Amino acid sequence: MKKSIRFSNSKVDYFFDENIRSLSKIADKKNTILITDENVFRLHEQKISSWKNVVISPGESNKVQATADGVISQLIEMGADRSTTLVGVGGGVITDLTGYVASVYMRGIPFGFIPTSLLAMVDASIGGKNGIDVGLYKNMVGCIRQPSFIIFDASFLKTLPDAEWRNGFAEIIKHASIMDASMFRKLENNDLSFYKQQKSDLSELIRRNVLLKSNVVQKDEFEKGDRKLLNFGHTLGHALENQYRLSHGEAISIGMVRASFLSQKMTRFDEAERVKMLLEKYGLPVHMDFDRDKMIDVLKMDKKKTKDAVNFILLDSIGKAVIQPIPIKQLHRNI
Ligand SMILES: NC(=O)c1ccc[n+]([C@@H]2O[C@H](COP(=O)([O-])OP(=O)(O)OC[C@H]3O[C@@H](n4cnc5c(N)ncnc54)[C@H](O)[C@@H]3O)[C@@H](O)[C@H]2O)c1
Ligand SMILES: [Zn+2]
């Protein structure tokens, strides 16, 4: 099913419930180069190898300028020019890096995505934020530029490790918590193994999350207001991820639980326990003893900080989030 979404200065075609084979209908084989990582290439070689491709090492540590330089050298060798389309086939590392390289190569060439992790399908591939990490600073360099198309092919998920399924569900539960109470209830009534087995429910869940995030981005592509709500659980989550060995999903899960309990103190919210139970149901951690002072030091450096307050995303009810600046002094007592 095709659905076109308009952003401020571009249009993105989403192909839901599709197969990577349909890429040949959208892109011309001669002028298309797939960018993927070694894991995805090894597990899905037959889907990828008939296309020109560039394969990079997997993992967040490779989402850096040196990798972008390597890809650019290969593109030059392969004779890529302004008529070339780059297609990122992989998780969020690949989609972020592909969008970034495509945005700077020859001052910008077209690109598309075939996200292969649940997280990339429901989150990273949507919204046009591309970029790389610099040292400890995640996504420090990059731009906002939309892909021309995204093909959703859930058959890739057959090989996705369990830990990556849980990471994807952390973002899905985030979307439900901040903007979709009925999806929250549906998630409460099911579990991970249900979605792994029920293809049509999984496709419907992916589509709903894609459209929820797209809707927020459409209203606020350049993050002046509502797009910030997508940072629910991320303020503390990023600080935890930075200091401890946690996956992104684990870190934001703990962050969402803390933000939910903080909401109970600051807004009329009274269902933090429900958020915690849902995350637990999907195999995510909900508590951690962390060094509070160290965390507050990291929060003080956060990009989302204004003067002496940190902008926290809180819940007003399940399905509705609000942004609230919280003075650093107050944080000492509350997180
Ligand atoms: N641009 C955005 O708006 C946005 C939003 C959220 C996250 N992100 C970025 O996304 C990244 C995280 O995404 P991710 O979790 O997909 O990371 P990832 O790309 O590192 O993928 C996670 C792991 O799963 C593997 N993998 C991917 N698809 C697979 C499959 N089908 N079968 C088996 N293994 C597979 C990868 O090789 C990797 O080892 C981070 O860099 C984050 O900053 C970007
Ligand atoms: Zn996230």
Side-chain angles (χ1 to χ4, degrees):
M1 189 190 87
K2 179 175 164 182
K3 189 170 170 68
S4 299
I5 303 275
R6 288 219 148 270
F7 294 98
S8 30
N9 49 17
S10 61
K11 176 182 76 99
V12 184
D13 292 331
Y14 293 163
F15 296 89
F16 290 112
D17 270 321
E18 267 295 349
N19 188 291
I20 188 172
R21 279 196 298 270
S22 61
L23 179 60
S24 52
K25 284 184 246 153
I26 308 169
D28 155 24
K29 240 180 182 152
K30 253 192 0 287
N31 290 323
T32 302
I33 299 176
L34 272 43
I35 316 269
T36 190
D37 75 21
E38 283 157 4
N39 291 338
V40 177
F41 188 80
R42 176 172 41 84
L43 294 163
H44 300 276
E45 190 173 345
Q46 76 293 356
K47 297 179 187 160
I48 296 169
S49 57
S50 66
W51 294 81
K52 290 187 211 170
N53 59 71
V54 172
V55 183
I56 67 160
S57 303
E60 185 73 26
S61 59
N62 293 300
K63 202 177 97 175
V64 292
Q65 186 62 41
T67 312
D69 291 344
V71 172
I72 289 168
S73 302
Q74 290 194 58
L75 293 178
I76 295 170
E77 257 169 52
M78 293 163 100
D81 61 21
R82 284 201 186 83
S83 65
T84 303
T85 298
L86 295 190
V87 182
V89 185
V93 165
I94 288 295
T95 54
D96 278 13
L97 188 84
T98 301
Y100 172 62
V101 169
S103 300
V104 293
Y105 188 73
M106 296 187 131
R107 298 200 184 85
I109 62 174
F111 65 105
F113 296 142
I114 305 179
T116 64
S117 70
L118 183 60
L119 187 139
M121 291 181 192
V122 299
D123 191 358
S125 67
I126 313 298
K129 281 191 185 176
N130 312 299
I132 52 165
D133 305 331
V134 181
L136 267 183
Y137 299 98
K138 280 198 65 168
N139 307 318
M140 193 61 167
V141 168
C143 58
I144 296 185
R145 186 164 175 261
Q146 300 295 339
S148 312
F149 62 84
I150 309 178
I151 297 174
F152 297 91
D153 177 350
S155 75
F156 278 100
L157 298 176
K158 282 187 205 135
T159 59
L160 193 71
D162 279 347
E164 301 304 337
W165 277 90
R166 293 194 290 271
N167 279 333
F169 267 95
E171 304 290 357
I172 290 173
I173 294 171
K174 176 192 79 178
H175 287 157
S177 304
I178 62 172
M179 56 191 163
D180 193 336
S182 93
M183 183 165 88
F184 194 98
R185 278 190 295 276
K186 182 144 192 225
L187 290 165
E188 286 180 317
N189 293 331
N190 295 310
D191 61 16
L192 198 50
S193 69
F194 167 84
Y195 285 108
K196 278 189 179 177
Q197 283 155 26
Q198 302 297 323
K199 269 194 191 153
S200 62
D201 292 271
L202 179 64
S203 296
E204 145 71 20
L205 186 71
I206 292 170
R207 189 166 58 234
R208 192 152 166 176
N209 277 275
V210 167
L211 297 177
L212 279 169
K213 180 165 178 189
S214 303
N215 196 21
V216 175
V217 177
Q218 266 181 317
K219 287 192 203 134
D220 178 26
E221 193 169 355
F222 300 99
E223 199 161 322
K224 303 221 156 38
D226 273 7
R227 190 167 184 172
K228 293 196 174 91
L229 299 177
L230 295 170
N231 289 321
F232 175 56
H234 281 59
T235 312
L236 184 60
H238 279 150
L240 289 171
E241 203 177 346
N242 208 293
Q243 298 291 318
Y244 299 94
R245 291 178 66 87
L246 290 172
S247 73
H248 180 67
E250 291 168 340
I252 66 158
S253 176
I254 295 165
M256 285 190 275
V257 174
R258 291 286 167 135
S260 300
F261 282 100
L262 187 56
S263 306
Q264 293 201 156
K265 294 186 183 167
M266 320 275 292
T267 72
R268 57 182 189 138
F269 188 60
D270 62 357
E271 297 191 291
E273 208 52 55
R274 256 179 98 191
V275 177
K276 182 175 161 198
M277 274 164 59
L278 185 59
L279 289 161
E280 230 164 10
K281 188 167 194 193
Y282 284 82
L284 289 154
V286 292
H287 176 76
M288 175 181 180
D289 283 315
F290 52 80
D291 180 337
R292 200 182 283 223
D293 292 335
K294 201 163 155 190
M295 244 0 72
I296 288 169
D297 282 343
V298 180
L299 284 179
K300 282 187 200 159
M301 299 183 317
D302 197 284
K303 279 185 275 187
K304 280 125 204 153
K305 191 182 90 106
T306 51
K307 281 213 181 127
D308 297 322
V310 175
N311 280 325
F312 249 83
I313 312 305
L314 300 178
L315 296 181
D316 190 51
S317 59
I318 298 281
K320 187 171 186 304
V322 289
I323 303 178
Q324 196 155 315
I326 301 185
I328 308 258
K329 273 196 260 133
Q330 223 171 346
L331 273 183
H332 277 280
R333 275 180 279 125
N334 287 304
I335 65 162

